[in-house]
């Protein structure tokens, strides 16, 4: 069994991270009835016995003493991290895992990346090393941050390149929250594009999440709960926006949206934490879903959003779940994969689902999903036997699809609108280490990324002839 | 004579466990003492406590499957694996052949060789090795190929049989065709015999012949184990003079075709796959009176071999695995040509766009290596295509 470390940076990163740890504990408590510190728990938690003078953690197999999250929390303001520490989750972190400052980054990527990045470089590396040393076999770093601000975006991407430098062999999966078009931070396009370049260069996989999609999902669920239609009652605590049953009592604003992202992380790691008939390790995700190094943006799609109380015919419900995974309502970014091109797709199933159900649904859905010519059977599948809390089964689909191109093009446009007028540029250029070339290189990186997707798109619908085989001399 | 089995990766370890189970059960059922003794000799040894222990080495890059296999074996109460005959790591090979072959293989070479050596020394006479693995993943395929190479280096005169499980055609793993091509091209140079089971075919057996509704990997593995067992269990061969052949792997699978000028093209029937060699194993009731002339029909064989040279018949009056009568055909023919060709075609198409290649280059397999391997397999396909 391997371990993973979560690095949460900035306000959004820490808020989502906080929800992740809460829901993770809830999930493990649901499954782990005997209170033993097992392999599953050890993938994300250490077990510390405060009575031990050497401070080293206990190995797998004993009783749970004191769980500590394998996490590093970074923020240049204290508010969010302090709130976490003062809440019921505070026990799960200790002070050696935190890195805070007081003044914030002023929504300025350059301040986060250059100023704080330089000032805190050693401390960050130190914290990361400590977290890594506590692991027997570290397989993956999960970075959570937002793109539109200053800390998450700037310092977060600095952390990302440090991760690559210091731990080149450990997988880096980044969950990035992209701003909506109506974002109230004016400079969010600058911050996002500057951060994108770092993501393209240094991440193994990126799971982009758009705030607007989260809002849409929350609204959809709330509408469902209020229709009061007979036969459509939602089972209590079964929605992916609910944090019920976790440690935190009061629901804060944005908790429901953040719970969705936390659930995404729980599901992507489920196969690494729990047993199943077809395990999918984290290093298999990048291997199978990333055919070209820079094209590693994976569209996440989660189902079900909620479980209805009336139990309809299981098979139909199961098949519906597969169909839903490919519906736009369930995606965490706004895009149109069905009218773009699939490069690869992973289906991570949880619960009592058989191989035959999986095969049947793939066969059923395949005809309506356009796959690139050289990967017509580009499916990677995983079956984890432990279902999430409140559901009998669930499905996470990760699609490497050219539908991210319009999203990136839109981002480029918003950037260009500001950059043409040199609006707010001086705030950035004043920062030590920041130059105009950072901007031009970043936009250039984004443009060539868009080009790569464009080339693949161009092959869509065309009958690509099979590559001529090697001829053998008689 | 004994066989040392090396089980590699998840598939190799799961199928291997089912095989030993089938063999052990068969031995218990049989009323014939010589048959049981011969079978035991080739697959098991007895510890000082009298436990029947498999002549096997279990290898995987993560611990779960080996643990399960060893537990299942011990639970049977009839046989077990050696307590120290296994080796595992914590993190798998990530479905990456290059990771298995270039990194894990060499890194753990000495430990694995030592485990194998211990099993070999326990044998009075070694018949050879059987390596069991899949071709789609990273460990079975990559580490499996590397280990086969080591065996070939250390025991150059020993017989090496590779049992391969080919994946379902509709991807289980997206890069399965790359992993398969790399494995097969290498094994062709190293192995004496490659015995293949395809998941798709075995799945069809489960659904259409055995009428199983919800097919699990256990069902599939048991069918494979049954078929393998029916080939490897003791049998009377043409030259064993009325006693069980001491050499379970002893068929000369190497066939050398005559040079081009001697080959004639036959115009007759293309409805059968042309064979280079066929082995028919009959077990149970009426084996001595069975009419097997049909298997010697010359149209079944390539024109430059006679049926006498190409057809072998083994018999055992002892029923196998509770089947009153059973027949197993092992065929070196064009039957695998189409699946092999499909696999190479898909891999080649993917390679043409260089998709996923950076994942392999990262661990030490270059584009040149890929091209070499494709070339080898195209030659194999060509040779088999020309049989008739």
């Amino acid at each position: 069994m391997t371990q993973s470390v979560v690095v949460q940076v900035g306000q959004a990163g820490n808020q989502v991270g906080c929800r992740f740890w809460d829901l993770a504990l809830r999930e493990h408590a649901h499954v782990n009835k005997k209170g033993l510190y097992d392999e599953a728990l050890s993938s994300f938690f250490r077990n510390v016995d405060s009575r031990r003078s050497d401070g080293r953690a206990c190995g797998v197999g004993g009783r749970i003493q004191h769980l500590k999250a394998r996490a590093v929390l970074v923020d240049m303001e204290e508010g969010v991290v302090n709130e976490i520490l003062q809440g019921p989750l505070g026990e799960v972190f200790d002070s050696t895992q935190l890195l805070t400052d007081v003044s914030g980054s002023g929504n300025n990527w350059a301040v986060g990346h250059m100023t704080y990045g330089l000032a805190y470089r050693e401390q960050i590396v130190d914290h990361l090393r400590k977290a890594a040393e506590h692991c027997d076999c570290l397989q993956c770093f999960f970075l959570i941050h937002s793109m539109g601000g200053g800390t998450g975006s700037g310092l977060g991407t600095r952390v990302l390149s440090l991760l690559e430098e210091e731990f080149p062999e450990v997988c880096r999966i980044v969950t990035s929250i992209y701003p909506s078009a109506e974002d109230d931070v004016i400079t969010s396009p600058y911050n996002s594009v500057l951060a994108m370049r770092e993501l393209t260069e240094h991440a193994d996989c990126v799971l982009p999440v758009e705030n607007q999609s989260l809002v849409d999902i929350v609204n959809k669920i709330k509408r469902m709960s209020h229709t009061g239609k007979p036969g459509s009652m939602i089972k209590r605590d079964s929605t992916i926006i609910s944090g019920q049953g976790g440690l935190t009592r009061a629901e804060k604003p944005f908790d429901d949206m953040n719970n969705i992202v936390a659930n995404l992380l729980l599901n992507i790691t489920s196969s690494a934490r729990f047993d199943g008939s077809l395990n999918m390790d984290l290093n298999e995700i990048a291997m199978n879903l990333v055919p070209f190094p820079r094209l590693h943006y994976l569209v996440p799609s989660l189902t079900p959003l909620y479980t209805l109380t009336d139990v309809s015919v299981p098979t139909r419900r199961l098949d519906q779940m597969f169909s839903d995974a490919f519906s736009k309502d369930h995606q965490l970014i706004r895009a149109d994969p069905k009218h773009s091109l699939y490069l690869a797709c992973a289906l991570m199933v949880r619960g009592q689902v058989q191989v035959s159900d999986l095969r049947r649904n793939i066969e059923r859905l395949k005809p309506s999903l356009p796959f690139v010519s050289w990967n017509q059977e580009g499916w990677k599948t995983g079956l984890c036997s432990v279902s999430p809390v409140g559901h009998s089964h669930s499905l996470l689909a990760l699609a490497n699809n050219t539908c991210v191109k319009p999203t990136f093009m839109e981002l480029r446009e918003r950037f260009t609108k500001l950059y043409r007028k040199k609006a707010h540029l001086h705030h950035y250029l004043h920062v030590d280490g920041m130059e105009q070339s950072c901007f031009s290189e970043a936009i250039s990186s984004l443009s060539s990324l868009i080009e790569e997707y464009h080339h693949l798109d161009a092959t869509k619908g065309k009958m690509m002839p099979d590559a001529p085989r090697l001829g053998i001399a008689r | 004579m004994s066989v040392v089995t090396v089980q590699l990766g998840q598939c190799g370890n799961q199928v291997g466990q089912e095989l030993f189970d089938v063999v052990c059960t068969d031995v218990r059922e049989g009323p014939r003492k010589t048959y049981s003794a011969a079978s035991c000799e080739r697959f098991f040894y007895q510890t000082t406590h009298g436990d029947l222990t498999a002549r096997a080495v279990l290898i995987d890059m993560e611990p779960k499957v080996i643990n399960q296999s060893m537990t299942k074996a011990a639970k049977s109460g009839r046989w077990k694996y050696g307590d120290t005959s296994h080796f595992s790591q914590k993190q798998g090979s990530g479905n990456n052949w290059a990771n298995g072959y270039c990194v894990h293989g060499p890194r753990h070479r000495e430990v694995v060789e030592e485990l194998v050596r211990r099993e070999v020394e326990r044998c009075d006479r070694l018949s050879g090795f059987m390596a069991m693995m899949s071709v789609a993943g990273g460990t079975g395929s990559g580490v499996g190929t590397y280990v086969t190479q080591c065996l070939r280096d250390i025991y150059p005169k020993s017989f090496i049989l590779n049992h391969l499980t080919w994946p379902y055609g509709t991807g289980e793993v997206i890069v399965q065709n790359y992993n398969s091509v790399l494995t097969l091209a290498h094994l062709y140079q190293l192995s004496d015999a490659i015995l293949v089971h395809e998941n798709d075919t075995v799945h069809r057996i489960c659904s259409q012949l055995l009428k199983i509704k919800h097919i699990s990997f256990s069902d599939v593995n048991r069918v494979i184990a049954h078929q393998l067992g029916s080939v490897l269990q003791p049998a009377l061969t043409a030259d064993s003079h009325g006693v069980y052949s001491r050499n379970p792997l002893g068929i000369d699978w190497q066939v050398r075709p005559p040079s081009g000028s001697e080959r004639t093209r036959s115009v007759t029937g293309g409805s059968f796959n042309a064979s280079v060699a066929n082995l028919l194993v009959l077990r149970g009731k009426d084996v001595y009176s069975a009419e097997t002339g049909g298997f010697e029909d010359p149209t079944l064989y390539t024109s430059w071999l006679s049926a006498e040279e190409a057809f072998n018949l083994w018999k055992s009056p002892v029923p196998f695995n509770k089947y009153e009568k059973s027949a197993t055909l092992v065929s070196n023919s064009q039957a695998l040509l189409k699946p092999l060709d499909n696999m190479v075609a898909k891999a080649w198409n993917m390679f043409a766009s260089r998709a996923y290649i950076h994942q392999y280059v990262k661990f030490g397999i270059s584009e040149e290596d890929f091209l070499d391997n494709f070339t080898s397999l195209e030659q194999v396909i060509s040779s088999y295509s020309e049989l008739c």
Side-chain angles (χ1 to χ4, degrees):
Chain A
M1 258 297 173
T2 56
Q3 293 82 40
S4 298
V5 171
V6 173
V7 186
Q8 30 194 97
V9 186
Q11 180 173 4
N14 278 289
Q15 281 169 340
V16 170
C18 176
R19 296 314 311 142
F20 169 75
W21 291 109
D22 196 11
L23 293 181
L25 283 170
R26 180 179 77 161
E27 190 169 86
H28 281 281
H30 194 75
V31 169
N32 188 335
K33 299 297 184 193
K34 295 194 188 151
L36 289 177
Y37 178 63
D38 58 10
E39 292 277 9
L41 260 178
S42 89
S43 62
F44 277 100
F45 296 93
R46 295 159 51 211
N47 188 21
V48 175
D49 185 352
S50 41
R51 291 166 298 176
R52 282 176 70 151
S53 53
D54 60 4
R56 283 174 60 211
C58 315
V60 168
R63 288 204 68 76
I64 295 173
Q65 305 280 357
H66 206 127
L67 290 177
K68 290 283 184 200
R70 298 189 191 279
V72 176
L73 289 70
V74 179
D75 201 358
M76 295 295 102
E77 281 173 336
E78 293 183 308
V80 176
V81 173
N82 276 344
E83 227 186 300
I84 297 177
L85 290 179
Q86 278 150 23
L89 275 179
E91 297 284 296
V92 150
F93 308 105
D94 66 47
S95 54
T96 62
Q97 297 171 253
L98 316 171
L99 190 74
T100 56
D101 201 306
V102 289
S103 359
S105 305
N107 286 325
N108 188 327
W109 185 91
V111 172
H113 197 84
M114 305 292 185
T115 314
Y116 287 127
L118 198 58
Y120 284 109
R121 188 187 196 284
E122 264 178 55
Q123 278 183 277
I124 293 173
V125 171
D126 200 50
H127 279 35
L128 293 173
R129 287 217 163 280
K130 281 223 180 63
E133 275 161 25
H134 287 309
C135 299
D136 214 357
C137 181
L138 175 61
Q139 188 173 59
C140 185
F141 280 109
F142 283 96
L143 178 67
I144 315 177
H145 72 143
S146 67
M147 301 282 279
T151 304
S153 178
L155 187 54
T157 48
R158 171 65 73 186
V159 171
L160 179 61
S161 60
L162 285 175
L163 287 175
E164 187 177 31
E165 239 180 85
E166 303 286 321
F167 309 92
E169 289 171 10
V170 180
C171 192
R172 293 170 295 283
I173 299 184
V174 186
T175 304
S176 306
I177 313 214
Y178 280 70
S180 317
E182 309 82 33
D183 196 74
D184 51 3
V185 175
I186 301 184
T187 48
S188 66
Y190 282 162
N191 297 330
S192 302
V193 170
L194 288 163
M196 274 283 305
R197 184 204 174 177
E198 305 293 313
L199 293 182
T200 302
E201 310 270 308
H202 303 296
D204 288 312
C205 289
V206 178
L207 306 170
V209 173
E210 263 181 38
N211 265 335
Q212 192 55 49
S213 302
L214 298 180
V215 167
D216 290 342
I217 291 176
V218 168
N219 287 337
K220 179 167 183 211
I221 295 176
K222 293 209 164 128
R223 265 198 312 268
M224 268 308 290
S225 341
H226 291 137
T227 54
K229 275 200 307 234
S232 67
M233 286 300 294
I234 293 184
K235 216 169 106 183
R236 259 178 69 103
D237 308 336
S238 75
T239 72
I240 62 167
I241 62 175
S242 153
Q244 285 301 315
L247 284 177
T248 319
R249 299 282 156 210
E251 282 211 5
K252 300 198 304 296
F254 298 120
D255 262 3
D256 41 17
M257 286 165 62
N258 291 335
N259 281 334
I260 300 175
V261 187
N263 273 307
L264 162 65
L265 287 172
L266 279 179
N267 284 333
I268 205 178
T269 58
S270 58
S271 202
R273 290 179 289 132
F274 301 114
D275 258 336
S277 57
L278 196 56
N279 289 337
M280 181 144 78
D281 225 347
L282 292 167
N283 55 2
E284 292 175 30
I285 295 179
M287 178 66 188
N288 284 280
L289 292 179
V290 183
F292 305 105
R294 285 146 49 92
L295 304 186
H296 54 240
Y297 293 85
L298 310 176
V299 177
S301 188
L302 275 173
T303 81
L305 299 178
Y306 46 77
T307 302
L308 298 176
T309 49
D310 70 326
V311 183
S312 46
V313 178
T315 316
R316 219 171 351 118
R317 190 151 52 118
L318 203 54
D319 286 10
Q320 184 60 47
M321 179 179 79
F322 279 91
S323 301
D324 283 343
F326 292 94
S327 123
K328 290 198 264 195
D329 287 343
H330 292 253
Q331 285 163 206
L332 301 193
I333 71 166
R334 293 152 98 205
D336 196 2
K338 278 193 181 169
H339 292 106
S340 306
L341 199 59
Y342 280 88
L343 303 181
C345 187
L347 296 175
M348 304 185 70
V349 186
R350 299 181 66 173
Q352 292 313 312
V353 181
Q354 306 297 347
V355 182
S356 40
D357 297 314
L358 201 50
R359 304 212 90 79
R360 181 181 69 249
N361 279 287
I362 291 180
E363 284 309 306
R364 187 171 61 85
L365 293 166
K366 237 169 55 162
S368 62
L369 303 171
F371 270 79
V372 72
S373 64
W374 43 259
N375 209 2
Q376 294 283 308
E377 274 122 17
W379 298 90
K380 168 69 180 158
T381 55
L383 288 170
C384 171
S385 45
V386 176
S387 54
V389 176
H391 301 279
S392 56
H393 36 64
S394 76
L395 172 59
L396 165 65
L398 293 174
N400 192 342
N401 188 304
T402 57
C403 67
V404 291
K405 189 182 75 175
T407 310
F408 295 155
M409 286 171 72
E410 220 184 84
L411 183 59
R412 181 171 61 177
E413 228 188 272
R414 278 186 265 147
F415 174 96
T416 314
K417 256 197 185 133
L418 288 176
Y419 194 58
R420 256 203 312 256
K421 297 183 279 190
K422 301 208 188 311
H424 306 282
L425 218 48
H426 55 286
H427 291 303
Y428 291 78
L429 297 176
H430 270 158
V431 176
D432 235 352
M434 195 69 185
E435 287 166 16
Q436 189 107 13
S437 58
C438 296
F439 280 86
S440 46
E441 277 164 20
I443 199 64
S444 162
S445 159
L446 183 56
S447 287
S448 62
L449 184 68
I450 291 172
E451 260 314 289
E452 279 186 60
Y453 280 112
H454 190 71
H455 272 148
L456 287 163
D457 257 341
T459 67
K460 180 167 188 264
K462 296 216 189 103
M463 276 305 293
M464 300 300 289
D466 284 340
R469 298 273 290 276
L470 294 173
I472 298 298
R474 298 280 166 265
Chain B
M1 284 173 91
S2 312
V3 176
V4 170
T5 302
V6 184
Q7 309 180 175
L8 297 135
Q10 173 164 19
C11 177
N13 279 292
Q14 284 175 194
V15 176
Q17 186 267 323
E18 295 288 357
L19 173 64
F20 282 105
D21 210 53
V22 157
V23 167
C24 187
T25 314
D26 184 45
V27 156
R28 289 283 174 115
E29 297 283 329
R32 304 294 197 91
K33 278 175 83 183
T34 14
Y35 179 83
S36 303
S39 172
C40 271
E41 171 71 29
R42 50 180 72 172
F43 293 109
F44 298 95
Y45 65 92
Q46 289 208 308
T47 60
T48 40
H49 304 287
D51 296 322
L52 212 55
T53 311
R55 298 186 191 276
V57 176
L58 295 78
I59 300 173
D60 202 353
M61 293 300 109
E62 59 110 357
K64 288 192 301 280
V65 181
I66 288 187
N67 288 341
Q68 272 164 15
S69 297
M70 292 188 67
T71 310
K72 263 177 113 178
K75 263 201 189 136
S76 75
R78 289 172 274 121
W79 69 278
K80 66 194 236 323
Y81 282 109
D83 295 327
T84 54
S85 303
H86 62 273
F87 174 75
S88 64
Q89 290 291 273
K90 303 221 164 84
Q91 192 174 179
S93 304
N95 291 164
N96 190 324
W97 191 93
N99 194 5
Y101 184 82
C102 305
V103 179
H104 287 135
R107 191 179 284 169
H108 309 300
R109 178 189 188 131
E110 278 176 34
V111 176
V112 171
E113 284 179 357
E114 174 61 23
L115 287 175
V116 171
R117 196 184 56 78
R118 271 194 243 155
E119 289 306 323
V120 169
E121 281 172 9
R122 260 193 269 268
C123 303
D124 269 342
R125 281 178 66 190
L126 180 69
S127 158
F129 299 95
M130 179 166 65
M132 302 183 68
M133 56 213 246
S134 71
V135 294
T139 298
S141 70
V143 177
T145 302
Y146 188 82
V147 168
T148 304
Q149 197 167 287
C150 294
L151 292 178
R152 182 47 80 213
D153 285 339
I154 303 178
Y155 307 96
K157 304 251 173 60
S158 290
F159 193 91
I160 300 181
L161 169 70
N162 284 80
H163 176 264
L164 305 182
T165 303
W166 288 17
Y168 287 98
T170 58
E172 291 170 31
V173 169
I174 294 180
V175 291
Q176 64 188 42
N177 296 311
Y178 279 164
N179 293 336
S180 305
V181 164
L182 292 166
T183 305
L184 291 172
H186 279 79
L187 288 183
Y188 252 86
Q189 308 302 321
L190 302 165
S191 179
D192 289 306
I194 300 177
L195 211 52
V196 176
H197 272 102
E198 300 166 83
N199 270 347
D200 278 309
T201 309
V202 180
H203 191 102
R204 261 203 309 275
I205 292 176
C206 287
S207 69
Q208 289 167 13
L209 297 182
L210 299 175
K211 309 283 190 217
I212 303 177
K213 278 214 161 126
H214 295 292
I215 300 169
S216 66
F217 277 116
S218 290
D219 299 315
V220 170
N221 293 341
R222 255 178 241 130
V223 169
I224 296 177
H226 173 88
Q227 292 194 342
L228 251 190
S230 71
V231 175
L232 297 174
Q233 283 290 62
L236 306 166
T237 69
D239 49 3
S240 65
H241 308 300
V243 298
Y244 288 115
S245 161
R246 305 205 64 204
N247 188 0
L249 305 175
I251 179 174
D252 183 7
W253 297 97
Q254 300 259 14
V255 184
R256 286 150 286 281
S259 60
S261 55
E262 291 172 39
R263 277 187 243 167
T264 49
R265 297 203 154 233
S266 149
V267 189
T268 53
S271 51
F272 285 108
N273 287 312
S275 294
V276 163
N278 280 316
L279 167 65
L280 181 65
V281 185
L282 300 176
R283 299 182 182 275
K285 219 166 140 227
D286 303 332
V287 287
Y288 296 112
S289 51
E291 175 51 59
T292 59
F295 289 91
E296 298 182 58
D297 186 339
T299 50
L300 289 174
Y301 298 94
T302 181
S303 55
W304 39 265
L305 275 177
S306 71
E308 289 80 51
E309 294 171 292
F311 178 64
N312 285 271
L313 178 60
W314 292 358
K315 300 179 189 172
S316 162
V318 178
F320 171 68
N321 205 15
K322 303 180 189 157
Y323 279 64
E324 188 188 56
K325 291 197 241 194
S326 65
T328 307
L329 181 66
V330 186
S331 196
N332 185 349
S333 72
Q334 295 175 316
L336 280 175
L337 184 53
K338 198 135 172 284
L340 181 61
D341 193 60
N342 279 341
M343 172 199 284
V344 173
K346 286 189 216 163
W348 184 246
N349 257 340
M350 200 182 258
F351 183 71
S353 54
R354 297 294 184 272
Y356 301 102
I357 296 299
H358 70 285
Q359 308 272 18
Y360 291 86
V361 169
K362 200 159 62 166
F363 290 102
I365 295 291
S366 66
E367 287 187 24
E368 281 292 300
D369 294 322
F370 267 96
L371 281 172
D372 287 341
N373 288 317
F374 274 114
T375 309
S376 305
L377 284 189
E378 292 287 6
Q379 277 166 342
V380 171
I381 291 172
S382 173
S383 306
Y384 272 96
S385 299
E386 301 205 329
L387 291 179
C388 58

